[in-house]
Structure formats: structure tokens, C-alpha cells
Amino acid sequence: MTVTVGQRAWHLPKALLARHSTFFAQLCRDPAQSAITLDDAVDAHAFANFADYIHSSIYTLNPHVAAFRSIRANTHAYLLGCRLGAQSYSDAALRKLHRLFEPLAKLGCSNARLSSIRAADVQVVWRATRPGDGLRCLFADAVASHWRQLDVVRVGADADGLETVSWREVYDMFGDLRERLVASLAWADGERGGLLGRVEGYLDRRGSGMGVLRRRQEGGRVMGGAQSGEGWDDEGIGRWRERVKNGRDGGDEESLRADVKDEWMVVDKDD
């Protein structure tokens, strides 16, 4: 079968396409179907990687392309796998992204500046997925685990103006991202790595990526936080930003930690 993506075309065995993709398996049932042109939403480089994968069953991406970034390339691979019904391919891409995000989450002293996740990466993911999708949950948890509490409260404050979209813009645009970042304020800086769950929690694509935070909330009554609707909501964060802007008390990390300690309290069920 001839598969055309943009200006490129691949001549691929139907048997291989049908084995790795439910989308192509459906097409291949028609003996007269010998060619298809995929729409412009499909990235040609991403499909080239998929074509290599179906021949070898080994997940690797070609880094020798202009402006290659592993995060964006693996994101495109995941999205293509979902589009084509290529479960093993999209799972491999998600596993790779988790491996990319995990080291900084485990570092224990990470911050937004160290994270390789860009606001534009988040924008691509949110525009292409639905709430609860494993990729979306993974990115939300990875951002939360890489950022300090101060980074969450001051989101967008250190924008350099060079990116196509700012963190403040994606924070305002995507409500579920905003909710997860606000909820993550229950975690102190030294333990924020725990916000990134096990990769299996994202592979089921049922929105269980925030399992670590959910388990913490279910293990006790979270007072003054996302579960009770008080404390560090958008209004609370807005008040703290205003204090920073006006130069009043609260513009440093110690003040933030004190505020978080006062407004977030986890009470054990047995208490």
C-alpha cells in the first residue's frame, strides 16, 4: 500500500501495516485499496519513524532531522499511534517520555528553569488530547514534579518572551492543568518528585496519572486545599502574586512555605 504524508510517500506491505495498526487493518480488508493520503495533521517525520517501527518492532526515533527535540518527537509518536490504532507504538512513546521526565522529578531540587518541558509542548498535548488521556496526565504530573511551589504560584513570572506561547497562557487556557498545579501545592519542594507516578498509571489512559496525589488526598482529609475548595485556589494564588508585585511581605520562598503550611493540612483518618 502507498501511504502519502505531505510531500513524502511510502510503499509498505499491507501485512505489516495491518499487524501494527487497527486503522490500516480496516483499510487492508478491501483488496482494491492500494493507496491512502493522510491529512496534514500527521507529521511526516513521525510517520517515517512509524514506518521504521513496523519493520523492526523496535521503537527508535530518528534524531537527524531539523530542530529535533526528543519530547516533541515522542509526543508526535504517541499521538500518531493513537490515531492509527497502534497501541504498542503509542505505549512505547509514552514509556520513553516517562523516562525522559523521571530523572529531574527524582532530583529533589528541581525547578521550572531546569525542566525541558516547554509551554508549547503542553499546548500541543492539550490541543490533541481529551481530559483523562494518559499523555495529558503524564505531562501535568511531570510539570508539577519538576516545579517548586514557588514556580506554581509565580507561573509565567519569568517568561523570556522567546517562546511561541507562555506558561501563563497555557495555565489560563487549560483548566485541568491549572487544577493539577494548584492541587500540587499540597506537596513540599522536597517531596514533589512523588507527583510523578509509575508509568503503568498513565498507560491505562483512564486519567489515573495523578494517582499519587489522589492517594494522598484519599488517605486523609485535605483541609484548605483542592478537595475542600478553599486555600490555594486561583484566588489565593492571585493574592500571593499581588503581594509579590507590590513588594509586600510574601515575595520569597520562606513566606510561601509558611503560607502553604498554614493553608494546607493533611489530617489522618484516624485523628
Side-chain angles (χ1 to χ4, degrees), residues 53 59 61 70 74-75 77-78 87-103 134-135 138-139 196-205:
Y53 171 79
Y59 180 81
L61 303 182
S70 187
N74 283 283
T75 296
Y78 173 89
Q87 179 78 41
S88 60
Y89 190 70
S90 58
D91 283 356
L94 196 71
R95 289 182 183 277
K96 177 61 177 178
L97 285 165
H98 189 274
R99 289 196 296 272
L100 290 173
F101 298 153
E102 191 173 37
L135 183 68
L138 174 61
F139 266 81
L196 183 67
R198 295 170 58 87
V199 68
E200 290 78 13
Y202 305 99
L203 289 171
D204 63 19
R205 299 189 188 142

Side-chain angles (χ1 to χ4, degrees), residues 211-247:
V212 175
L213 179 57
R214 185 177 299 118
R215 283 195 299 273
R216 177 169 180 157
Q217 290 177 337
E218 290 175 350
R221 301 187 305 279
V222 180
M223 308 302 292
Q227 197 165 335
S228 68
E230 301 174 355
W232 283 102
D233 52 12
D234 283 342
E235 183 179 353
I237 290 179
R239 289 196 303 269
W240 198 86
R241 286 200 184 104
E242 190 65 23
R243 289 163 63 188
V244 174
K245 179 180 178 181
N246 294 334

Side-chain angles (χ1 to χ4, degrees), residues 52-92:
D52 291 338
Y53 171 79
I54 67 174
H55 282 97
S56 66
S57 293
I58 298 174
Y59 180 81
T60 57
L61 303 182
N62 177 17
H64 304 294
V65 297
F68 176 84
R69 288 183 61 241
S70 187
I71 289 177
R72 187 64 63 85
N74 283 283
T75 296
H76 284 313
Y78 173 89
L79 295 173
L80 179 64
C82 292
R83 184 186 184 94
L84 298 180
Q87 179 78 41
S88 60
Y89 190 70
S90 58
D91 283 356

Side-chain angles (χ1 to χ4, degrees), residues 6 35 38 65-66 113 134 160 162 166 183 196 215 229-230:
L38 301 182
V65 297
R113 288 184 176 274
D160 56 20
L162 300 178
S166 71
L196 183 67
R215 283 195 299 273
E230 301 174 355

Side-chain angles (χ1 to χ4, degrees), residues 2 33 39 51 63 70-71 80 82-83 93 151 173 176 185 210:
T2 301
Q33 182 79 49
D39 63 43
S70 187
I71 289 177
L80 179 64
C82 292
R83 184 186 184 94
D151 295 322
M173 277 191 289
D176 53 342
L185 288 169
M210 283 292 280

Side-chain angles (χ1 to χ4, degrees), residues 4-265:
T4 301
V5 181
Q7 301 300 313
R8 299 184 61 181
W10 290 262
H11 304 287
L12 302 167
K14 284 188 174 183
L16 281 180
L17 288 169
R19 183 186 309 161
H20 292 280
S21 161
T22 58
F23 171 79
F24 283 115
Q26 182 69 28
L27 288 178
C28 292
R29 291 178 182 176
D30 180 2
Q33 182 79 49
S34 61
I36 183 174
T37 298
L38 301 182
D39 63 43
D40 294 338
V42 176
D43 179 78
H45 294 308
F47 191 83
N49 290 323
F50 178 74
D52 291 338
Y53 171 79
I54 67 174
H55 282 97
S56 66
S57 293
I58 298 174
Y59 180 81
T60 57
L61 303 182
N62 177 17
H64 304 294
V65 297
F68 176 84
R69 288 183 61 241
S70 187
I71 289 177
R72 187 64 63 85
N74 283 283
T75 296
H76 284 313
Y78 173 89
L79 295 173
L80 179 64
C82 292
R83 184 186 184 94
L84 298 180
Q87 179 78 41
S88 60
Y89 190 70
S90 58
D91 283 356
L94 196 71
R95 289 182 183 277
K96 177 61 177 178
L97 285 165
H98 189 274
R99 289 196 296 272
L100 290 173
F101 298 153
E102 191 173 37
L104 187 59
K106 289 184 174 181
L107 187 61
C109 57
S110 65
N111 58 63
R113 288 184 176 274
L114 292 178
S115 180
S116 56
I117 303 173
R118 299 176 181 174
D121 297 325
V122 169
Q123 185 181 51
V124 167
V125 171
W126 259 252
R127 286 181 171 176
T129 61
R130 296 178 179 180
D133 182 273
L135 183 68
R136 186 182 288 202
C137 293
L138 174 61
F139 266 81
D141 290 355
V143 171
S145 69
H146 290 178
W147 288 15
R148 302 167 300 170
Q149 291 174 327
L150 184 64
D151 295 322
V152 175
V153 172
R154 300 183 62 212
V155 60
D158 299 324
D160 56 20
L162 300 178
E163 297 292 341
T164 57
V165 63
S166 71
W167 277 110
R168 183 67 204 186
E169 287 173 314
V170 298
Y171 179 88
D172 290 338
M173 277 191 289
F174 307 122
D176 53 342
L177 172 67
R178 183 169 60 251
E179 289 170 6
R180 290 187 181 216
L181 289 177
V182 171
S184 78
L185 288 169
W187 293 67
D189 288 347
E191 58 183 22
R192 294 182 67 81
L195 288 165
L196 183 67
R198 295 170 58 87
V199 68
E200 290 78 13
Y202 305 99
L203 289 171
D204 63 19
R205 299 189 188 142
R206 290 193 298 272
S208 62
M210 283 292 280
V212 175
L213 179 57
R214 185 177 299 118
R215 283 195 299 273
R216 177 169 180 157
Q217 290 177 337
E218 290 175 350
R221 301 187 305 279
V222 180
M223 308 302 292
Q227 197 165 335
S228 68
E230 301 174 355
W232 283 102
D233 52 12
D234 283 342
E235 183 179 353
I237 290 179
R239 289 196 303 269
W240 198 86
R241 286 200 184 104
E242 190 65 23
R243 289 163 63 188
V244 174
K245 179 180 178 181
N246 294 334
R248 296 197 297 271
D249 179 44
D252 55 26
E253 293 187 56
E254 290 302 321
S255 297
L256 172 62
R257 291 194 182 99
D259 286 349
V260 170
K261 183 177 180 181
D262 289 341
E263 299 200 35
W264 280 90
M265 179 174 64

